[in-house]
Structures are given as C-alpha cells and as structure tokens.
Amino acid sequence: MLFNLDMIQSHYAKIPGRVAVARKELGRPLTLAEKILYTHLVEGAENRTYKRGADFAEFHPDRVAMQDATAQMALLQFTTAGKPRTAVPSSVHCDHLITAKEGVEKDLPFALEENKEVYSFLESVAAKYGIDFWRPGAGIIHQVVLENYAFPGGMMIGTDSHTVNAGGLGMIAIGVGGADAVDAMVGLPWELKYPKLIGVKLTGSLKGFATAKDIILKLAGILTVKGGTNAIVEYFGEGARALSATGKATIANMGAEVGATCSTFSYDASMARYLRATDREAIADAADKIAEHLRCDAEVEATPEKFFDRVVEINLDELKPYYNGPFSPDRAYAVSNMKESLRENNSTDVVSASLIGSCTNSSYEDLYQAASLIKQALGKGLQPKAPLIINPGSEQVRYTAERDGLIDLFKQFGATLMTNACGPCIGMWDRLGADKKEKNSIVHSFNRNFAKRADGNPNTHAFVASPQMAVIAALSGSLLFNPDTDTLVNSAGETVRLNPPETSELPVQGFEVKDAGYQAPANDGSAIQINIAKNSKRLQALIPFIAWDGKDIQAAHLLIKAKGKCTTDHISMAGPWLKYRGHLENISGNMLIGAVNAFSGETNKVKSSDGNIYEVPVLAKAYRDQGAGSIVIGDENYGEGSSREHAAMEPRFLGVKAVIVKSFARIHETNLKKQGILALTFVTPTDYDKIQETDVFDILGLTQFAPGSPFTLVAHHTDGSKDNIALGHTYNGQQWEWFKAGSALNLIRQSL
C-alpha cells in the first residue's frame, strides 16, 4: 500500500539542496549514509562537520515503527506527554505475542484471546493518537514495513533492533528504545552519536547454494558481534546491485548481529522493481528523479578506502553456504567446515528441527526458493528427516504464496505453517519436549541464536542459515551434509543429488492479498478513552522515576558481577515474559535472571552483603527498599541483542543506580541513559577483576560533572580494604540533564 506520499515527496524536494550543503561542508564526494544523515539533521545543524564515533548529532526521522511487545511501554510513555497526535507517521504491529505451537489455525485464535487486553490497549492508543495499527496475523513488523513504509533515502527509528531491515530499500533505519521513539513522536529532535562508516564491497554474483543470507553470515564472522558498534555498514559494488531488494533487506536485518547502528544500500533497479511490485509506483518515480542523491558518489565506489573507516570486500563468486552458531551469530562456519564447528561446542550434527521465517528471511523470494527445493526433493523421492516449521513474513506474502502453490508444496512436505508472526525467533515457540532440556541441534533462518532463545532449552544448539539450507538440513537430518558434494538416498534406495533451487525475486503474477490486516486510526481521536484495569497483570500505568538528589552515590551494594556474554535476553528474557511487557512491576521479576554470576558460574543466584543467597530480582528489590540501591558490573559488549528498553527500565525500577562494564552495546547504553541509570565503563578494563562478591560502592565526581570528566568508583571490600577505580562515560550535556531529571521522559514532561 502507499502511505505518506506527501511526506516522502516533501523530503525528496529538499534532498538535492541538503546534499549540496553536505558536499560543500565536507569538501569531498559523499557516501550514501552521509547523504541520508545530512538530509535529516535538524535545521541549522547541517553546516558543520561531525567527528565520527564521537560527536552527537540531532535528527528528525521520517517515521517511527513499533512492535506489540515494545510498543506497550513506548506508548505508555507517550500517553503521559500530553500530545493529541504523533508528530511523525507511526505504526504498531502485533507480531511478537503470538505463540507458535500447533499451527496458525489454532495458534492465532488462542493469541487473540490470551492477549485481548493488550491488543485492545494498543488498538485504542493507535486510534486515538493517529497511529497505523496492524492486527495480529498481519505479519512481522519489518516485512510489513518493507512492503508498505520503507523508501529510499528515508530515516526511520523503531522500537526493535531489527528495524535496520529497511536498509534493504536504501533507508537509514535504526533500532531504539521506547524513550527514543517518544522523542520523535512528540516532535523533539532525536539524538544519535554520529556513526563511523564501514564499507562492504560486493563483487561477482551468487552461485550454487549461496544466498544473500550467506553474505551477512560471512561478514558476521569477520566483524564479530561488536565490530559494527556505532557504525553504519554501507554495501556497494556490482554484487550489491545484483541482489534483490528482499535479499538486501536480509543482509541489512542481520547487521544488528554485528552491533551496527544500521546498514544500507544505494538505490538501484531492484529497489525500483520492489516498490512498483508493492503498489508504490509513485515513490519509485519520485526516487528515479533524484537517483544520483540516493546512492553513494561514484568516487566512493572507486576508492572506498578514502571514505570509509574500514572496508571489507567479499567475492560472491566464491561464497559458500554457512551455518553460524551455536550460541552466537558470529560463529561463522561454511558448511564444508562443520566438523570443526561441532567439535568446538560438542554439538550434535543430528538436526531435530528446521525453521524458516523471522523478519530476516520470510519474504516471497525466501519462500519461493524453499518451495522450489522442496518440489525438487519430492520429485526425486526424498522425504524430510526432521520437521520443518514456517512463519510467513506477512499476510500479503502468505496469500500470494498460497495462490502460487507454494503453501501446498510445504504441506506435501509435512511442514507446519505457523502464524504470520515472529514465533520461535523471539522465543514464542511452545516446543513439545523442550522442558526436558535435552541436547539437540536446530537450523533456522532467524538472526539470533543465544542459549534458550528459541525454545527455552539451554541445550538447544541453534545454527543460523538461509531458508534453503534449512530445507536441506530437514532433508538430510545432518549439519554435516554439504549439498555441493554430498548425495542423499531416496525412498527407492537410489542415490540422488540436489541442485540449487530456482528463484523468483518477485511473484510473476504480482502480489495479492484480500485483507492485509491494516487498520487506520480515527480522524479525530479526542473522544477515545484509554483504560487500564487497576487489577491488570498485563498493563500498568507508569509512575515517573524520581529525580537525582544532587549527591554522589554512597554505599550502594553489588547486585551481580556478570561474566561473559550478557545480552538483553539475559537481562530481560522474552518467551513467557513477553506477556508482561506492559507491566513494569511484573516483568521486573525476570531482571538479570539469565546473567552468569562471575563468582559462582550460576544464573539467578547472588550473594548479599549478609552472606545469604538470593534470586537477582529479589535482592535488587531488597536493596532498593533499604534505600541504598545497587550496582551491576558487566563484561564486554554488555547489552548486545534486542533493543528492548525493559532491560534498562527493570533495573531502574528495582533501584539499580549504575551499570559499570568493560564496554556497552549501543542501544542498551542509550536506553540506560534515557531511564536515568548511570551507564559507565572501566577506564582500565582489567579493573573488572578487582570487584569482589560482597563489595559496597561509592561513585564520586557526579557533582562536578562535565562532558568527558571521569568519575571514581570506590569499591569497599569486606576485609576493610578498598580500590579506587577510574570510570569513563559518554554523557554529553543534554544526556546529563536526563540523569538529573530522573529520566529523559521526565525532562520531556517538563519542556512540554
């Protein structure tokens, strides 16, 4: 569908002038990312040069997108701001709260009843404040955004880390916390650390069983999960132009797994084809007129090392299929090297399930390739050795796939068709037998594979792959099967070889859908009432956090010293906890229960200052109620993963004063700042080792704050000794005002 054409045309009209200003200011050719950033800077801020990775800049995004799990808290915050409508086009998508268990016929009706209160809340808020509402079953937020809202050269923020998916249509689309979304929705500038730029040159073309997914799987192995932090990844070259728009979106989507601010591609013919195929000819026509401003300058592509902070080159002619995992999406292994991968983590090669879907790989093109491979396999007398589960990305994709016979092929294969929703990817998989915690391996086309994420079983070893490799894993039943070299035995006892599947970038007959699941907001929502039941277990009105008392922190207790990977899944688990995303008190019961205690190696068991053992949330609440509060210590890349601001709001609610780590993931650091928690780093990372199990802390220097000024952590040990530890931070003056006010939202209320 075509939305907000006037807004897009208005933005396109100013792009040439803004690009000219940027080119004059920087005195050189421009990358695509620079063009989009400069065309979205707040008025008057374009006449300066920003230091990459250091300076903060303020922008006006074109739109905001929210999924149902994060939208609850974002909209609870927005409703307290006193605005009659959102200042920018916004949308809510009901995709996260639907459990995948028996199939769409039973799962969707169950979800509609189970989440009735939440859906009603979101629907009424959307109607009242001018927000587009996409009903349960309409599809996964990022696929729906790609089909309806994304446009070349635009800037979008969304309350989900995989908002970056829209980079497949040449956007700068960035995952944020709900408080950041509120900034944009009330019309205030949105702040971002001006990103570094990583250029990825793609040469050649994909061959054999390699897909666009394998490009990002390979790159994840090169950059690692933190290699893209505070950076935009920009793809260019003949290989990039050869990819479909949905293939580009797959790559941009998983940029979140390398910590990137976002990823993007220059506008090209494949994007124009996708826009026209999704009934947005007017946008394609408008983009064609300013196409030179929607791609990087020719000099950038010719000599990228002059314009990017880092350049990576990938030859698509040589690319092979990958299985990334387990437990981290950057454990990249070509299928031919899986023996080594399995040995390192003592993983079994036997595949217990294969899954296709998620915002990363659920387009028509993805389903077509999978169905083509299945058609070939059935024709050769092959049957699956592992169950196959499929989540289409949208109702438009599902309906078109059904019309074209793809769904029938999946059913002939014995696949289970789940709702057009996130399902297993976000942990909403009610998997039979998962409670037994048996070790097993699964293959999925999702983006993340942290322990417990898909099915709650810590012993499920999840491997990320393309949809066609998920089908191949189901056919062979083994992670060691290499389709380039190995053969299978069919039901007649014959040896057969698989051929690369056919592909279809877009449906030959065009897209079709009867009911896309869209619901427009009311023209005048002033009379619509937003009601939250007092005894609700799912929704809770927010009470503003208290402001800083103007003093240094004294005698705060160590809550937990987290060891190793501590993602937002570890800090605030999804799965069964998703249902409490609109109730801060209830969801705080999961705070840091997945974090590994550095002193014991256990989860959700920490020692208090009196020597007793408690669950993490219980001890945090006790310290809060005593008045002293607590401090969390963390390792490298703390808070990687999803954008969920609950991982910052829960510690704030339970009295955590500061989170001190070796390094932060970008979104989580911002979320902590927004909620009034001190986000600090060890100046000397090895000082992490000085923290002892029952330490009590002071943090000094807060009253003398200045941007860049250090703080001091005084760690008082139980033997009477102490360590003075230097702490760094990235607060600027505006962000310190958030801390002083108690939260960014408190400051917004004061200013409106």
Side-chain angles (χ1 to χ4, degrees), residues 510-556:
F511 285 107
E512 187 177 348
V513 65
K514 282 190 175 179
D515 181 1
Y518 169 71
Q519 187 167 307
N523 291 327
D524 179 3
S526 58
I528 297 175
Q529 297 295 313
I530 309 299
N531 296 314
I532 299 175
K534 290 184 178 180
N535 61 348
S536 173
K537 295 181 180 180
R538 300 290 300 270
L539 297 165
Q540 181 185 52
L542 293 175
I543 298 174
F545 294 130
I546 61 172
W548 177 46
D549 63 7
K551 301 176 182 178
D552 287 338
I553 292 173
Q554 300 286 335

Side-chain angles (χ1 to χ4, degrees), residues 44-65:
E46 69 273 19
N47 296 303
R48 61 164 289 192
T49 299
Y50 295 86
K51 185 177 180 181
R52 297 177 186 174
D55 292 342
F56 285 89
E58 292 186 326
F59 301 90
H60 280 307
D62 298 307
R63 66 176 312 110
V64 173

Side-chain angles (χ1 to χ4, degrees), residues 394-643:
S394 71
E395 176 58 14
Q396 178 169 265
V397 165
R398 188 212 64 79
Y399 189 92
T400 305
E402 183 175 48
R403 180 202 66 191
D404 293 350
L406 309 186
I407 302 300
D408 282 343
L409 283 168
F410 293 141
K411 290 179 178 178
Q412 290 176 42
F413 196 67
T416 301
L417 195 72
M418 297 295 183
T419 311
N420 312 320
C422 301
C425 183
I426 191 59
M428 295 297 283
W429 184 16
D430 189 356
R431 187 184 186 190
L432 183 65
D435 57 324
K436 298 178 182 178
K437 298 183 179 181
E438 296 174 343
K439 187 166 84 171
N440 71 105
S441 292
I442 65 173
V443 172
H444 61 56
S445 71
F446 309 160
N447 35 54
R448 297 203 169 116
N449 55 359
F450 305 139
K452 299 184 181 181
R453 183 172 174 97
D455 62 2
N457 178 3
N459 299 313
T460 292
H461 292 214
F463 294 83
V464 184
S466 67
Q468 61 182 10
M469 287 307 298
V471 172
I472 287 170
L475 280 167
S476 66
S478 173
L479 287 163
L480 295 174
F481 179 83
N482 183 349
D484 286 326
T485 58
D486 300 338
T487 57
L488 295 168
V489 177
N490 67 11
S491 55
E494 301 165 332
T495 298
V496 298
R497 183 182 296 277
L498 294 172
N499 299 314
E502 296 177 2
T503 188
S504 181
E505 175 187 36
L506 296 164
V508 174
Q509 301 178 58
F511 285 107
E512 187 177 348
V513 65
K514 282 190 175 179
D515 181 1
Y518 169 71
Q519 187 167 307
N523 291 327
D524 179 3
S526 58
I528 297 175
Q529 297 295 313
I530 309 299
N531 296 314
I532 299 175
K534 290 184 178 180
N535 61 348
S536 173
K537 295 181 180 180
R538 300 290 300 270
L539 297 165
Q540 181 185 52
L542 293 175
I543 298 174
F545 294 130
I546 61 172
W548 177 46
D549 63 7
K551 301 176 182 178
D552 287 338
I553 292 173
Q554 300 286 335
H557 299 272
L558 173 68
L559 178 61
I560 186 172
K561 178 180 177 180
K563 178 182 179 182
K565 187 182 287 288
C566 190
T567 71
T568 50
D569 280 80
H570 296 87
I571 303 167
S572 175
M573 288 185 176
W577 291 93
L578 275 177
K579 61 179 173 284
Y580 299 124
R581 285 286 181 88
H583 198 294
L584 183 54
E585 183 175 5
N586 283 349
I587 198 170
S588 292
N590 76 357
M591 188 192 75
L592 284 160
I593 63 176
V596 176
N597 186 337
F599 300 106
S600 66
E602 296 182 294
T603 58
N604 204 23
K605 290 183 180 180
V606 287
K607 183 183 289 188
S608 71
S609 55
D610 61 15
N612 293 316
I613 303 299
Y614 294 89
E615 293 179 342
V616 181
V618 173
L619 184 57
K621 183 176 183 296
Y623 285 149
R624 180 198 67 184
D625 294 347
Q626 291 168 16
S630 59
I631 288 175
V632 171
I633 303 295
D635 212 323
E636 296 280 4
N637 205 34
Y638 183 88
E640 86 175 75
S642 300
S643 66

Side-chain angles (χ1 to χ4, degrees), residues 14-270:
K14 76 175 185 179
I15 284 180
R18 276 292 189 103
V19 169
V21 170
R23 187 173 284 113
K24 181 179 179 181
E25 173 64 33
L26 298 178
R28 56 170 174 77
L30 302 176
T31 66
L32 170 64
E34 289 170 321
K35 293 179 181 181
I36 302 177
L37 290 170
Y38 267 82
T39 55
H40 287 87
L41 286 164
V42 298
E43 199 68 36
E46 69 273 19
N47 296 303
R48 61 164 289 192
T49 299
Y50 295 86
K51 185 177 180 181
R52 297 177 186 174
D55 292 342
F56 285 89
E58 292 186 326
F59 301 90
H60 280 307
D62 298 307
R63 66 176 312 110
V64 173
M66 297 164 279
Q67 38 92 340
D68 51 356
T70 54
Q72 295 172 65
M73 197 58 70
L75 293 178
L76 283 167
Q77 294 176 81
F78 176 78
T79 57
T80 69
K83 288 286 188 178
R85 291 178 80 83
T86 59
V88 297
S90 303
S91 59
V92 170
H93 305 259
C94 296
D95 63 350
H96 272 55
L97 300 178
I98 302 170
T99 300
K101 185 177 182 179
E102 298 182 69
V104 59
E105 292 84 1
K106 293 184 179 180
D107 294 347
L108 183 55
F110 179 81
L112 291 171
E113 181 61 31
E114 181 187 37
N115 303 310
K116 179 168 56 178
E117 180 184 11
V118 172
Y119 293 148
S120 177
F121 167 76
L122 294 175
E123 183 179 4
S124 62
V125 173
K128 182 177 182 66
Y129 293 105
I131 300 170
D132 291 347
F133 183 72
W134 293 81
R135 297 190 299 271
I140 303 171
I141 174 173
H142 309 303
Q143 179 64 31
V144 173
V145 164
L146 196 74
E147 294 173 3
N148 297 280
Y149 297 122
F151 66 95
M155 174 182 276
M156 177 177 72
I157 61 174
T159 59
D160 188 283
S161 56
H162 291 100
T163 299
V164 295
N165 188 81
L169 272 181
M171 291 194 88
I172 279 185
I174 301 173
V176 299
D180 276 351
V182 171
D183 282 349
M185 287 193 290
V186 300
L188 292 175
W190 170 66
E191 184 185 69
L192 175 73
K193 182 180 286 186
Y194 197 86
K196 295 182 178 180
L197 301 178
I198 297 174
V200 178
K201 182 178 182 179
L202 302 180
T203 63
S205 60
L206 294 169
K207 293 177 173 58
F209 290 93
T211 70
K213 183 65 165 282
D214 299 298
I215 297 172
I216 187 58
L217 294 179
K218 179 179 178 66
L219 185 65
I222 295 170
L223 295 180
T224 77
V225 291
K226 62 178 183 177
T229 303
N230 291 322
I232 291 177
V233 181
E234 182 173 326
Y235 295 83
F236 60 93
E238 60 181 294
R241 289 185 286 275
L243 299 171
S244 67
T246 48
K248 292 178 173 73
T250 289
I251 294 168
N253 181 292
M254 268 198 72
E257 276 57 61
V258 299
T261 300
C262 64
S263 303
T264 195
F265 289 79
S266 289
Y267 178 64
D268 61 16
S270 70

Side-chain angles (χ1 to χ4, degrees), residues 245-323:
T246 48
K248 292 178 173 73
T250 289
I251 294 168
N253 181 292
M254 268 198 72
E257 276 57 61
V258 299
T261 300
C262 64
S263 303
T264 195
F265 289 79
S266 289
Y267 178 64
D268 61 16
S270 70
M271 294 185 194
R273 289 193 296 271
Y274 189 77
L275 287 168
R276 297 182 191 283
T278 50
D279 294 327
R280 291 175 288 172
E281 297 90 348
I283 298 176
D285 291 342
D288 287 342
K289 293 176 183 177
I290 59 165
E292 65 180 296
H293 303 303
L294 301 177
R295 59 173 68 107
C296 67
D297 288 338
E299 296 89 338
V300 173
E301 187 162 325
T303 55
E305 63 280 356
K306 293 181 180 180
F307 304 96
F308 294 101
D309 298 288
R310 179 178 180 181
V311 177
V312 177
E313 184 170 338
I314 298 176
N315 184 350
L316 304 188
D317 289 333
E318 301 172 353
L319 189 66
K320 298 295 183 182
Y322 273 72
Y323 283 135

